[in-house]
Amino acid sequence: MAPETGLLNAVMTGVVTGSIVALGATGLALVYDIAEVPNFAHGDLLTLGAYAALLVNKPNTVPGLELLAPGAQQISIAGSGVLFALSAVGVLGTIYHLGGRDALYGHWWGIDVSERLALTVHIVVAGVIGAIVVLGTPSFGAALLFSVVLLGATVPLLESFIFRKFREKNIELALMLVVSLAVAFIVRFGIQTIFGGSIRFYSVETSVPFLGGEVDLTLAKFFDFFITSEGLFFTLQETRGGTSQQLLAASYGWIELGVILLSLITVAYVALDRRSPAAIIGPRLTAALSSIVIVIIGATAFWGGANGTVPETAFAATRIRISPLRVGIILLAIAMMGGLHYILQATTLGKTMRATSDNRELALVRGINTRRVMMSVWIIAGLFAAVGGIMLGFLFSSITINLGFNLLLPMFAGVILGGISVYGAILGSYVVGLAMEIGIFAIPGLSATYRIPVAFVVLLAVLLLKPEGIVGGS
């Protein structure tokens, strides 16, 4: 029997959608929370990041640069020089935003260091990143790095030349919104003027080496789950060219699953309860050892159920469609948000960002360089926008001029739903992503066109019950 996709598949797709929304909403929330800019141009910054990657991935399709690209994915020596210069200048420009020439001389490091040494380190880092981009052309990884560097240097210019000027005039929030709309149109039609309005595509080698073989990043895999009176069964299927191949079959009895669950609960209790005997070795070591034990239990249970069979009948059966690309997007989003969490909670920059968010005037009085904080916020927003735009273009297999704009409403929904804070925006983005996919699944007759309206129905319902958002006021 071959099960059909159901609720679990909608949840999985919603997590992928939520990860993409979160990459955009995180930067949007930072800018809104700290810089007080409802940046309606943020969606178009995602589009800019997606198109910037074409300069490396497909240089011959970029107007002007095609003269330096003799082939479809080839670059001449002169073209390599252009990419190297843009990458190196982008790195130095990003650092310059943190405090001008003083930043280049290492004054933003937070430690006493020779100005000559700091400048040398910055130049070397810029040269290394430029070399990586040139040597990696036209690979997707090099394109991603180039886009991140380019937006890290250009996005803060919006703060320097536009939004700061209006903020100094103490304009109202509604007027700042209009300003951001104007910037959005300028960015969007600027991209269209340079690249044209036609649909673009990345050229990506999707087959990568893995454990002595190859894995296609975009090839769909299907996990089929069967619930029977004997236990839980699942198989892993791969569909290629209209034919299906079974890669794995596993079965787990109910008693076996109960023992595994009880073991995991016991390990969690030992790790979390300070009164347990294991607490004497220290919380960090206890957590590390517990994690190792959980991995061992999980791996043993997984391989212990391998070589199972597919049941002929089942009480319930469902299928989850997944691919290495989707898993990669989820893991990348988690890694970036984990890195941002570390910055916010464990670094001096994070403390100053939180202080500026609470009260900018008080932070300035206490000696915090609020201008550097603002520029740091815009740099981080640019990095997240670049990654989000490229992942969006890779996932949908196409790049259009409205790529980021189509995601703008879900991003704002995630930010507002979460309570206009970074952590709230992350949580709200996943709620929006799940609502978009589960809503289409749960309501018969709805097409994918209604994904965003369904998300906003959930937004209104939550805000009616909790107007401050999910984590607002926390």
Side-chain angles (χ1 to χ4, degrees), residues 78-133:
S80 298
V82 171
L83 293 181
F84 179 85
L86 288 174
S87 303
V89 171
V91 173
L92 296 176
T94 302
I95 298 172
Y96 185 85
H97 287 310
L98 297 175
R101 294 179 60 185
D102 289 341
L104 293 174
Y105 288 133
H107 291 188
W108 68 281
W109 287 15
I111 58 175
D112 291 331
V113 64
S114 168
E115 292 185 348
R116 181 175 297 179
L117 175 62
L119 181 60
T120 302
V121 169
H122 289 154
I123 293 175
V124 170
V125 170
V128 169
I129 291 180
I132 293 175
V133 169

Side-chain angles (χ1 to χ4, degrees), residues 115-389:
E115 292 185 348
R116 181 175 297 179
L117 175 62
L119 181 60
T120 302
V121 169
H122 289 154
I123 293 175
V124 170
V125 170
V128 169
I129 291 180
I132 293 175
V133 169
V134 171
L135 295 176
T137 303
S139 70
F140 185 74
L144 176 61
L145 177 61
F146 177 79
S147 180
V148 166
V149 168
L150 198 63
L151 262 68
T154 56
V155 169
L157 295 176
L158 299 178
E159 166 69 10
S160 298
F161 294 104
I162 300 176
F163 295 116
R164 180 187 298 162
K165 306 297 183 183
F166 283 96
R167 191 185 303 110
E168 291 173 349
K169 297 179 182 296
N170 295 319
I171 68 170
E172 296 181 356
L173 188 64
L175 183 56
M176 188 69 83
L177 187 150
V178 174
V179 172
S180 70
L181 279 174
V183 173
F185 283 113
I186 292 173
V187 173
R188 188 183 317 162
F189 289 103
I191 296 172
Q192 184 171 348
T193 300
I194 296 174
F195 290 91
S198 60
I199 299 177
R200 303 298 187 99
F201 305 91
Y202 292 130
S203 179
V204 182
E205 180 56 53
T206 57
S207 296
V208 297
F210 183 75
L211 297 178
E214 288 189 346
V215 173
D216 192 326
L217 296 178
T218 58
L219 189 63
K221 305 287 193 303
F222 298 94
F223 286 89
D224 294 339
F225 293 87
F226 306 88
I227 299 177
T228 70
S229 58
E230 299 177 358
L232 175 66
F233 296 74
F234 87 88
T235 64
L236 175 60
Q237 308 278 343
E238 180 180 87
T239 302
R240 189 191 298 265
T243 61
S244 182
Q245 177 185 3
Q246 181 174 292
L247 303 179
L248 174 69
S251 59
Y252 305 92
W254 292 119
I255 296 178
E256 183 181 0
L257 289 175
V259 172
I260 294 171
L261 180 61
L262 182 61
S263 301
L264 294 176
I265 293 175
T266 303
V267 172
Y269 165 77
V270 172
L272 299 176
D273 192 345
R274 295 182 178 181
R275 297 171 296 177
S276 66
I280 61 176
I281 65 176
R284 292 187 178 181
L285 184 56
T286 301
L289 293 176
S290 301
S291 300
I292 295 174
V293 173
I294 289 174
V295 170
I296 293 175
I297 292 175
T300 303
F302 177 79
W303 291 112
N307 300 320
T309 58
V310 179
E312 295 182 1
T313 59
F315 296 142
T318 189
R319 164 171 284 186
I320 298 178
R321 180 183 182 273
I322 200 168
S323 68
L325 173 60
R326 292 186 168 201
V327 174
I329 289 174
I330 295 173
L331 295 178
L332 178 61
I334 292 174
M336 292 192 66
M337 289 181 288
L340 180 60
H341 169 73
Y342 175 80
I343 291 174
L344 291 176
Q345 300 297 330
T347 66
T348 302
L349 173 61
K351 295 176 182 178
T352 57
M353 289 171 66
R354 288 185 280 122
T356 305
S357 173
D358 292 337
N359 191 318
R360 185 187 306 131
E361 288 74 17
L362 180 59
L364 185 61
V365 170
R366 293 179 64 88
I368 294 177
N369 189 336
T370 56
R371 174 166 293 190
R372 179 179 298 171
V373 171
M374 291 291 181
M375 300 310 290
S376 300
V377 166
W378 283 94
I379 290 172
I380 294 174
L383 302 184
F384 273 81
V387 175

Side-chain angles (χ1 to χ4, degrees), residues 31-70:
V31 169
Y32 189 88
D33 189 26
I34 298 178
E36 298 181 356
V37 177
N39 189 15
F40 272 76
H42 196 73
D44 295 289
L45 295 181
L46 269 71
T47 306
L48 180 61
Y51 274 90
L54 289 173
L55 275 72
V56 172
N57 187 244
K58 280 188 172 181
N60 72 317
T61 65
V62 180
L65 195 59
E66 79 271 15
L67 301 176
L68 305 176

